[in-house]
């Protein structure tokens, strides 16, 4: 008989069994530790994913208002239409769904079927940003076809801009996911976008939703609103005049304008022409550019469109730099007057040039200004005067004030894309005599339009350099103010006394100098014009560096400044491209619209009152003698037609406006017809010549533009075109402006 296992073998087997138990137990414990301690979060997430489904609810983006609470940007409810293929019963139902959604949403039917065949998915997007009519149509379609599951519509929001292209480069726009991509929409995105909500629902073993009691809703938090300092009315005024100026002067590198509150730094309006439609930001808004791109193909077309998009989005007043030209003479004057390097009555000689460091730098007036006072040098924009003033200031002080006025740093405006000026101005060490001379009249360095108007505003407001800003208040979702942006004074750059004197001198530029085309009866305008060379760009048409920038910057009223205006026309191609001729009138027209809107009442001088229009009195029914006496009491002249005893008709009619000293035509016979005269050509004439032509033709003229006393004013337009037939006595408006060349650019040549 075989022997059984020995006692020793049994002991070994027991020990082996115990070891195996310990090994397997240890491995099991190790796995449990890994699952519950080391990788617990990962497996918890997997479990949650298997048991729960989370649907994101987008918040409503905050509203952007203008300063008067007009809506500039707001979000409205739209929907995202999605399939839940796992909940679609069969292919027949999928086909029905595909046909219906394709028809309503204009989406390819095959694409919908392809998405619906992913049976493990609960979320396949068919179309985003579906608006209410389509939402209602889908709801009706699902009811009509008794479709209870498989198609879901999730609430979303879409951005709308009621004023389309107005303030487009300032407001900016959002992307398809409602994130801010540009402008204020981008700068204040964290405030505007809000906090998403979500719906968390439980899934059963069949991977379908459990009843409603297993669902949790976390409400979204709507975004904050913004109240801007931008005034929609002023913005519209700026854009309208900027558009006209750009077209009339064939501006090829866009025009820019800013209207600023000089006391607070608030931007009341900011514009670039041409711009774009905020509701279709990807479309090229400039028709000429769009047509040019359409003529291209392939990669060339795609690249051209991309570049055109960036160009039209670019906020020129903030992001582009330019050589300011003679406008900068105001800053040079501020330095010199503050440091008492010059007095108003100091005299300078201008033979038409000035020699600095062995180089001859020409004046705009090649024949020279002769001997002028400092005041006259500013009014006539005499470069030799300012080169000599620059020498008196010296490079160290000049550079110090250049820094103090904010030209070497960003303004800090609450808009994206502000240009940095590093490297655009000479260092203090490299500011030699020639660079100092050219810098004194605004050439050989670059600044942004925003920096320039901020500095001019400091000159106007008593010497305080303010931080410009666009947002005035931040609101919560219930329109309660949670943050108000107060004016921020960065520093005082000149004294109040110097500011007072400069305001007076700048007003003189309008009355006596190159800024006459900014003159506005009843309002005291102060400003300075500029025409600068673009020395870093060649004109492709001529092959020469003959491109120019025409500009104007000023403020009003001169004795109590409230608002500043800057106009920049980049690369005008017109008969006259001087800032005093084409930029100053734009500013004047903006002041004419903005100042009354802001409640600034006109205050006319005695001379201006004599030129104002008057109402034509009622002269019918009177004898010719009595009618003549009544008209003459109002400063009007009379011409009688006919031999009757009573005035039966008159022209202009009673109550209509007529210039003082105008002529009223009186008709005294029953059968007398209104005399017809031919309107003469009144463009390109002096004031005296227009008066002569109008008198000969038998019409009245209302003058606008510069003062009538000016000898170099030339008419540039008339309200009724030459050759038209009108009644004798008809009032025709004639626009005048100065042909100004005193702010012309200058070239540096070897002596």
């Amino acid at each position: 008989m075989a022997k059984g296992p020995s006692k020793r073998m049994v002991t070994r087997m027991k020990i082996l069994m115990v070891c195996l138990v310990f090994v397997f137990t240890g491995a099991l414990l190790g796995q449990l530790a890994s699952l519950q301690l080391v990788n617990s979060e990962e497996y918890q997430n997997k479990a949650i994913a298997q048991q729960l489904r989370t649907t994101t609810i987008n918040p409503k983006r905050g509203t952007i208002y203008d300063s008067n609470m007009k809506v500039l940007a707001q979000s409205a409810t739209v929907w995202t239409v999605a399939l839940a293929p796992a909940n679609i019963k069969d292919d027949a139902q999928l086909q029905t769904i595909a046909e219906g959604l394709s028809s309503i949403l204009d989406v390819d039917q095959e694409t919908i079927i392809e998405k619906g065949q992913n049976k493990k998915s609960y979320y396949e997007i068919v179309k985003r940003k579906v608006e209410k009519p389509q939402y209602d149509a889908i709801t009706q379609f699902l009811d009509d076809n008794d479709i209870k599951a498989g198609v879901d519509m999730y609430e979303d929001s879409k951005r709308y801009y009621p004023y389309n292209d107005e303030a487009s480069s300032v407001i900016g726009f959002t992307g398809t996911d409602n994130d801010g991509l540009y402008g204020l929409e981008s700068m204040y995105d964290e405030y505007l976008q809000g906090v998403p909500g979500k719906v968390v629902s439980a899934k059963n073993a069949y991977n379908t939703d459990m009843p409603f009691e297993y669902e949790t809703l976390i409400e979204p938090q709507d975004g904050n609103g913004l109240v801007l300092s931008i005034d929609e009315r002023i913005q519209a005024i700026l854009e309208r005049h900027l558009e006209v100026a750009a077209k009339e002067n064939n501006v090829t590198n866009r025009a820019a304008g800013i209207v600023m509150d000089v006391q607070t730094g608030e931007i009341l309006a900011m514009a670039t022409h041409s711009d774009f439609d905020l509701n279709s930001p990807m479309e090229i808004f400039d028709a000429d550019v769009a047509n040019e791109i359409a003529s291209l193909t392939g990669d060339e077309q795609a690249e051209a469109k991309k570049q055109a998009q960036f160009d039209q989005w670019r906020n020129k007043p903030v992001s582009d730099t330019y050589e300011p030209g003679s406008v900068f003479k105001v800053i040079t004057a501020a330095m010199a007057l503050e440091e008492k390097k010059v007095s108003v009555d100091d005299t300078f000689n201008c033979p038409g040039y000035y020699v600095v460091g062995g180089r001859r730098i020409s004046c705009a007036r090649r024949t020279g200004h002769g001997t002028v006072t400092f005041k006259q040098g500013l009014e006539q924009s005499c470069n030799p005067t300012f080169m000599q003033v620059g020498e008196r200031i010296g490079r160290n002080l000049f550079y110090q004030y250049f820094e103090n006025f904010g030209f070497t740093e960003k303004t800090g405006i609450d808009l994206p894309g502000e240009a940095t000026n590093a490297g655009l101005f000479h260092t203090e060490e490299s500011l030699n005599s020639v660079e100092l001379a050219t810098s004194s009249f605004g050439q050989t360095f670059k600044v942004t339009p925003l920096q320039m108007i901020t500095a001019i505003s400091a000159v106007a407001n008593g010497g305080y350099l303010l931080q410009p800003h666009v947002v005035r208040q931040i609101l919560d979702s219930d329109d309660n103010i949670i943050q108000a942006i107060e004016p921020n004074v960065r520093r005082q750059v000149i004294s109040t006394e110097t500011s007072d004197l400069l305001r007076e001198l700048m007003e003189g530029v309008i009355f006596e100098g190159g800024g006459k085309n900014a003159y506005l009866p009843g309002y005291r305008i102060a400003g300075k014009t500029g025409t600068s060379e673009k020395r870093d760009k060649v004109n492709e048409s001529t092959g020469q560096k003959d491109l120019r920038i025409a500009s104007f910057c000023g403020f009003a009223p001169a004795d109590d400044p409230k608002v500043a205006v800057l106009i920049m026309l980049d690369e005008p191609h017109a008969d006259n491209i001087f800032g005093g001729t084409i930029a100053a009138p734009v500013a004047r027209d903006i002041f004419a619209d903005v100042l009354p809107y802001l409640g600034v009442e006109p205050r006319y001088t005695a001379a201006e009152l004599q030129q104002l229009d008057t109402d034509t009195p009622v002269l019918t029914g009177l004898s010719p003698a009595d009618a003549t006496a009544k008209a003459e009491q109002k400063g009007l002249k009379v011409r009688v037609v006919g031999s009757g005893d009573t005035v039966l008709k008159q022209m202009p009619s009673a109550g209509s406006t007529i210039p003082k000293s105008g002529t009223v035509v009186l008709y005294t016979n029953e059968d007398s017809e209104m005399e017809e005269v031919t309107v003469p050509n009144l463009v390109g004439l002096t004031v005296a010549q227009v008066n002569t032509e109008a008198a000969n033709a038998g019409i009245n003229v209302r003058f606008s533009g510069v003062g009538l006393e000016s000898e170099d004013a030339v008419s540039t337009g008339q309200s009724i075109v030459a050759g038209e037939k009108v009644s004798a006595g008809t009032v025709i408006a004639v626009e005048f402006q100065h042909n100004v060349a005193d702010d012309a650019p200058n070239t540096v040549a070897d002596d």
Side-chain angles (χ1 to χ4, degrees):
M1 292 181 63
K3 294 181 178 181
S6 66
K7 186 177 181 180
R8 192 173 188 178
M9 291 178 65
V10 171
T11 301
R12 287 178 177 177
M13 289 177 65
K14 288 180 179 180
I15 292 172
L16 179 61
M17 290 295 294
V18 170
C19 289
L20 289 173
V21 169
F22 274 112
V23 170
F24 285 117
T25 302
L28 181 61
L29 291 174
Q31 184 66 19
L32 289 173
S34 175
L35 291 173
Q36 296 183 15
L37 299 177
V38 179
N39 298 315
S40 60
E41 186 175 348
E42 176 185 351
Y43 288 103
Q44 284 176 5
N45 290 337
K46 288 183 177 181
I48 291 172
Q50 289 176 346
Q51 300 167 27
L52 301 176
R53 179 184 302 116
T54 301
T55 303
T56 299
I57 305 174
N58 290 327
K60 183 174 289 187
R61 194 170 176 85
T63 302
I64 299 177
Y65 304 93
D66 89 328
S67 58
N68 298 307
M69 299 304 289
K70 291 182 181 178
V71 174
L72 301 179
Q74 68 181 156
S75 294
T77 299
V78 291
W79 289 265
T80 296
V81 178
L83 298 181
N87 293 334
I88 296 175
K89 291 191 300 185
D90 50 37
D91 289 344
Q93 188 181 65
L94 175 58
Q95 182 65 37
T96 301
I97 291 172
E99 290 175 358
L101 295 185
S102 175
S103 174
I104 297 170
L105 300 177
D106 193 26
V107 176
D108 181 63
Q109 188 177 138
E110 292 302 318
T111 300
I112 297 174
I113 292 174
E114 183 178 347
K115 291 177 179 289
Q117 289 174 339
N118 185 7
K119 293 299 184 180
K120 294 183 179 180
S121 174
Y122 285 84
Y123 189 71
E124 296 289 333
I125 295 176
V126 177
K127 191 171 184 177
R128 299 180 186 271
K129 309 299 182 186
V130 173
E131 301 194 21
K132 188 68 165 55
Q134 293 172 306
Y135 170 85
D136 291 341
I138 293 172
T139 301
Q140 186 65 49
F141 163 75
L142 296 177
D143 288 344
D144 292 345
N145 291 274
D146 196 29
I147 298 174
K148 306 296 184 184
V151 178
D152 297 315
M153 289 188 285
Y154 301 98
E155 194 170 292
D156 197 354
S157 63
K158 181 179 179 180
R159 207 64 163 159
Y160 291 93
Y161 302 92
Y163 292 95
N164 298 310
D165 60 324
E166 197 167 297
S168 57
S169 58
V170 173
I171 297 171
F173 52 89
T174 61
T176 55
D177 55 1
N178 283 323
D179 287 337
L181 296 182
Y182 192 76
L184 289 170
E185 293 277 29
S186 171
M187 193 76 176
Y188 284 85
D189 191 49
E190 62 178 304
Y191 293 95
L192 291 164
Q193 64 180 196
V195 179
K198 55 186 176 181
V199 176
V200 181
S201 54
K203 297 188 293 186
N204 58 26
Y206 296 99
N207 211 26
T208 57
D209 289 343
M210 294 178 69
F212 181 74
E213 59 265 27
Y214 295 98
E215 183 175 273
T216 300
L217 170 65
I218 301 174
E219 294 282 358
Q221 299 176 27
D222 290 342
N224 298 124
L226 302 179
V227 178
L228 308 186
S229 58
I230 297 288
D231 186 310
E232 187 276 327
R233 284 278 300 277
I234 299 177
Q235 182 72 30
I237 289 168
L238 173 62
E239 294 194 15
R240 182 175 71 251
H241 290 299
L242 206 61
E243 179 179 9
V244 171
K247 290 180 178 178
E248 287 184 348
N249 298 289
N250 190 22
V251 177
T252 57
N253 199 35
R254 309 174 83 200
I258 308 173
V259 181
M260 176 186 280
D261 185 324
V262 302
Q263 303 296 340
T264 65
E266 289 188 333
I267 302 297
L268 306 182
M270 178 183 286
T272 305
H273 182 81
S274 56
D275 47 16
F276 61 97
D277 187 344
L278 288 166
N279 291 300
S280 304
M282 301 301 167
E283 297 299 318
I284 306 304
F285 203 49
D286 188 308
D288 293 335
V289 175
N291 290 335
E292 184 177 337
I293 293 172
S295 67
L296 305 175
T297 58
D299 292 343
E300 187 179 11
Q301 184 185 68
E303 186 61 33
K305 183 174 182 179
K306 181 179 178 181
Q307 184 60 51
Q309 287 172 334
F310 283 120
D311 288 344
Q312 72 177 12
W313 298 337
R314 190 173 179 85
N315 190 357
K316 195 175 183 73
V318 173
S319 301
D320 283 10
T321 58
Y322 75 115
E323 296 190 37
S326 293
V327 172
F328 190 82
K329 288 173 181 170
V330 174
I331 307 302
T332 303
M335 303 177 191
L337 292 169
E338 181 70 15
E339 294 294 329
K340 295 180 171 49
K341 300 295 184 180
V342 68
S343 68
V344 173
D345 297 323
D346 283 358
T347 58
F348 300 87
N349 182 49
C350 171
Y353 62 89
Y354 191 63
V355 178
V356 182
R359 288 176 173 264
R360 173 172 168 155
I361 305 176
S362 300
C363 185
R365 182 178 292 181
R366 296 297 192 260
T367 57
H369 292 94
T371 300
V372 294
T373 64
F374 176 72
K375 178 178 182 294
Q376 293 170 330
L378 179 63
E379 291 172 351
Q380 299 174 29
S381 204
C382 175
N383 289 331
T385 294
F386 276 85
M387 286 186 272
Q388 294 171 69
V389 171
E391 287 180 342
R392 294 188 186 187
I393 297 170
R395 72 175 187 179
N396 294 332
L397 268 179
F398 193 96
Y399 190 84
Q400 176 185 323
Y401 274 92
F402 194 87
E403 280 190 317
N404 287 345
F405 271 102
F407 291 115
T408 60
E409 60 186 351
K410 295 181 178 181
T411 66
I413 191 171
D414 50 345
L415 284 171
E418 183 173 10
T420 176
N421 289 88
L424 295 179
F425 188 64
H426 318 284
T427 64
E428 187 173 355
E429 293 73 23
S430 68
L431 192 61
N432 59 36
S433 59
V434 173
E435 280 71 30
L436 178 60
T438 55
S439 295
S440 70
F441 58 79
Q443 292 271 188
T444 69
F445 67 88
K446 291 187 177 183
V447 299
T448 65
L450 182 62
Q451 286 176 315
M452 194 69 247
I453 195 173
T454 303
I456 293 294
S457 293
V459 169
N461 67 20
Y464 298 96
L465 188 72
L466 294 159
Q467 180 175 331
H469 62 277
V470 177
V471 174
R472 179 180 287 177
Q473 296 168 340
I474 300 176
L475 311 176
D476 65 15
S477 56
D478 295 320
D479 287 345
N480 299 308
I481 299 172
I482 59 175
Q483 184 178 344
I485 287 76
E486 301 295 335
N488 179 18
V489 178
R490 298 166 68 187
R491 53 187 168 270
Q492 187 171 9
V493 290
I494 56 174
S495 65
T496 302
E497 293 74 19
T498 300
S499 171
D500 292 342
L501 178 55
L502 277 167
R503 292 203 302 267
E504 182 181 332
L505 293 174
M506 291 176 68
E507 188 176 11
V509 174
I510 305 302
F511 279 112
E512 304 292 340
K516 289 180 180 178
N517 286 325
Y519 167 75
L520 182 63
Y523 293 100
R524 297 176 62 179
I525 310 297
K528 186 69 186 75
T529 60
T531 310
S532 57
E533 297 175 305
K534 298 191 73 170
R535 299 174 302 106
D536 55 355
K537 185 175 180 181
V538 174
N539 186 340
E540 295 181 359
S541 299
T542 64
Q544 304 296 317
K545 292 184 178 181
D546 55 6
L547 297 172
R548 300 289 184 262
I549 294 177
S551 65
F552 173 90
C553 191
F555 50 86
D559 58 332
D560 183 20
K562 299 189 184 310
V563 62
V565 172
L566 180 143
I567 296 297
M568 184 183 75
L569 307 178
D570 196 346
E571 298 180 17
H573 298 270
D575 293 337
N576 194 319
I577 58 171
F578 299 128
T581 304
I582 64 175
V586 183
R588 176 201 64 213
D589 293 343
I590 292 170
F591 280 126
D593 290 340
V594 169
L595 291 174
Y597 170 69
L598 293 177
V600 181
E601 296 290 337
R603 293 177 294 169
Y604 297 100
T605 65
E608 288 171 341
L609 283 171
Q610 290 183 353
Q611 303 301 328
L612 292 179
D613 291 344
T614 186
D615 292 335
T616 306
V618 178
L619 302 177
T620 54
L622 302 178
S623 68
D626 289 343
T628 298
K630 187 174 181 180
E632 288 177 346
Q633 286 178 355
K634 300 199 73 171
L636 300 174
K637 300 172 186 176
V638 170
R639 184 162 69 88
V640 179
V641 177
S643 57
D645 296 330
T646 304
V647 176
L648 303 176
K649 291 181 287 187
Q650 68 179 76
M651 185 64 190
S653 58
S656 59
T657 58
I658 183 174
K660 283 189 175 180
S661 77
T663 300
V664 182
V665 181
L666 306 178
Y667 298 88
T668 62
N669 290 344
E670 287 284 355
D671 57 350
S672 60
E673 296 182 358
M674 289 281 191
E675 286 186 354
E676 280 198 341
V677 298
T678 302
V679 177
N681 181 12
L682 302 176
V683 175
L685 306 179
T686 65
V687 172
Q689 289 170 332
V690 168
N691 273 325
T692 300
E693 290 291 328
N696 291 338
I699 58 174
N700 290 299
V701 176
R702 177 185 298 115
F703 296 96
S704 62
V706 299
L708 300 181
E709 74 286 352
S710 173
E711 295 180 357
D712 62 346
V714 177
S715 55
T716 58
Q718 59 190 84
S719 59
I720 301 178
V721 297
E724 287 284 321
K725 295 286 187 179
V726 298
S727 299
T730 296
V731 179
I732 297 179
V734 179
E735 175 82 10
F736 279 81
Q737 68 178 29
H738 287 268
N739 285 319
V740 181
D742 283 337
D743 63 350
N746 310 273
T747 55
V748 179
D750 292 333
D751 186 15

